[in-house]
Amino acid sequence: MAANFKAELVGSFSTPCAENPTVAMMEAAFVHHAMDWRYINAEVQPDGLAAAVAGARAMGWRGFNLSIPHKVAVIEHLDGLGESASLIGAVNTVVRRDNKLVGENTDGKGFLKALQTVVDPQNKSVVMFGAGGAARAVAVELALAGASRITVVNRSVERGQGLVDLLNDKTPTDARLQVWQATFELPAETDIVINVTSIGLYPDLDARIDYNVETLKSNMVVADAITNPPRTHFVRDAESRGCRALDGLGMLVNQGVIALKYWTDRDVDPEPMRTRVEQVLGL
Ligand code: NDP
């Protein structure tokens, strides 16, 4: 990188791949809005995280994203946390504010923004499959947005109970755990059904969420967090039952839109970002 590099820098501490959809998506926003910014992907190993954060500080980066395995480990290297990152206990976006590095979490906010295009979760009853890092982010934002009940369906009791306790202790929602040991039957009063597991994620394309599709009613909104492939069995089954179904690309694009707002203070257009992601994924 040249010493006289003029563009503002943001980036991600991640793992490399042939063409990174997030990099392509962020750069598409910069091109579309003629913004003099660059988004750079840097491969960072766990034992290099402290040095990488110090490097971003030293180079005056405006911020950066983090992917697994850095989302929790980064916290000790930051100067503070935003509200939902603090509740979730994980950071996917770091923002430089007044020369302090503040950890935020835009995964759940991105999901919420995509969901709100079809339904307002306020006073709604939600069933969510999964209790991992992304599920924590999604559930906390749904609870803060006023979802009245969140049923967490998860295979491991420990992770599921940890999330349910967090929701009940720190948010107004009524959260319950359903340990996932058999085919799940959706309660008739369910409004929103969400998959935030990795079941169906590439390369396990044939894997299916173990629930009774017959209990899915056409008034329910269904949302999948999986981006690759976007048209999972979960999404397609929902459509075939007459439900409104959202794929994971809306969450991906909107978490990027929110991160860009934090860094650049600009409201960028999500459309060219989604188009570029679809190109990279060959859709
Ligand atoms: P984690 O590894 O933290 O969590 C995985 C979750 O899936 C856990 O609840 C785990 O259950 C569950 N799970 C995995 N395999 C099975 C199985 N065979 N049977 C039952 N449960 C299973 O992953 P993340 O939370 O980071 O990611 C979850 C999903 O969200 C992924 O598909 C990821 O691609 C997607 N995602 C999408 C984003 C977007 O922008 N669209 C952003 C971030 C994530 P258990 O606790 O029992 O192990």
Side-chain angles (χ1 to χ4, degrees), residues 1-2 24 40 44 62 74 101 133 137 163 168 172 190 193 205 211 223 235 256-257 269:
M1 188 186 315
I40 294 166
V44 176
R62 296 289 287 271
V74 75
L101 294 183
L163 175 52
N168 285 331
T190 306
V193 190
L205 304 183
Y211 80 109
V235 165
V257 167
D269 183 353

Side-chain angles (χ1 to χ4, degrees), residues 49 66-75 89-92 105 107 133-134:
L49 182 61
L66 298 130
S67 57
I68 287 171
H70 303 310
K71 289 184 176 188
V72 176
V74 75
I75 292 173
V91 166
N92 79 328
N105 197 312
D107 280 334

Side-chain angles (χ1 to χ4, degrees), residues 49-282:
L49 182 61
V53 175
R57 259 187 218 276
M59 289 185 283
W61 285 29
R62 296 289 287 271
F64 48 91
N65 287 133
L66 298 130
S67 57
I68 287 171
H70 303 310
K71 289 184 176 188
V72 176
V74 75
I75 292 173
E76 65 175 293
H77 306 297
L78 303 178
D79 303 309
L81 295 179
E83 185 197 3
S84 48
S86 170
L87 280 176
I88 295 159
V91 166
N92 79 328
T93 303
V94 172
V95 189
R96 200 183 79 217
R97 296 189 182 119
D98 299 329
N99 274 332
K100 292 197 162 29
L101 294 183
V102 178
E104 299 281 359
N105 197 312
T106 66
D107 280 334
K109 292 180 198 298
F111 177 86
L112 185 65
K113 200 171 159 91
L115 183 72
Q116 283 168 332
T117 62
V118 295
V119 65
D120 179 353
Q122 187 159 23
N123 298 323
K124 297 292 192 299
S125 183
V126 176
V127 168
M128 185 182 73
F129 296 101
R136 283 174 75 87
V138 165
V140 163
E141 298 298 346
L142 287 170
L144 295 179
S148 50
R149 171 169 299 171
I150 301 179
T151 302
V152 174
V153 185
N154 201 57
R155 181 181 57 179
S156 98
V157 179
E158 197 185 341
R159 283 221 273 189
Q161 194 62 52
L163 175 52
V164 164
D165 289 347
L166 164 73
L167 294 169
N168 285 331
D169 292 350
K170 299 283 171 58
T171 79
T173 203
D174 172 15
R176 296 160 185 214
L177 173 64
Q178 177 71 51
V179 180
W180 206 356
Q181 288 163 330
T183 302
F184 184 75
E185 307 276 328
L186 289 169
E189 68 276 13
T190 306
D191 300 300
I192 302 169
V193 190
I194 306 170
N195 173 38
V196 202
T197 72
S198 39
I199 300 166
L201 182 66
Y202 180 87
D204 293 323
L205 304 183
D206 291 332
R208 280 190 124 100
I209 301 293
D210 186 14
Y211 80 109
N212 181 356
V213 180
E214 299 294 314
T215 58
L216 193 58
K217 302 284 182 286
S218 60
N219 62 315
M220 298 177 186
V221 172
V222 172
D224 202 333
I226 289 179
T227 53
N228 187 14
R231 291 191 59 72
T232 54
H233 282 299
F234 191 62
V235 165
R236 284 184 282 160
D237 287 346
E239 286 174 349
S240 72
R241 301 278 304 166
C243 301
R244 295 290 304 269
L246 295 167
D247 64 34
L249 293 181
M251 175 178 176
L252 175 68
V253 170
N254 281 299
Q255 63 79 24
V257 167
I258 295 164
L260 288 170
K261 173 73 175 176
Y262 282 145
W263 295 325
T264 71
D265 206 27
R266 294 275 299 266
D267 291 300
V268 299
D269 183 353
E271 280 314 311
M273 298 169 70
R274 179 161 180 134
T275 302
R276 190 70 184 96
V277 172
E278 287 178 347
Q279 260 176 5
V280 171
L281 294 178

Side-chain angles (χ1 to χ4, degrees), residues 38-51:
R38 294 291 178 276
Y39 186 96
I40 294 166
N41 188 55
E43 183 186 8
V44 176
Q45 300 298 330
D47 62 0
L49 182 61

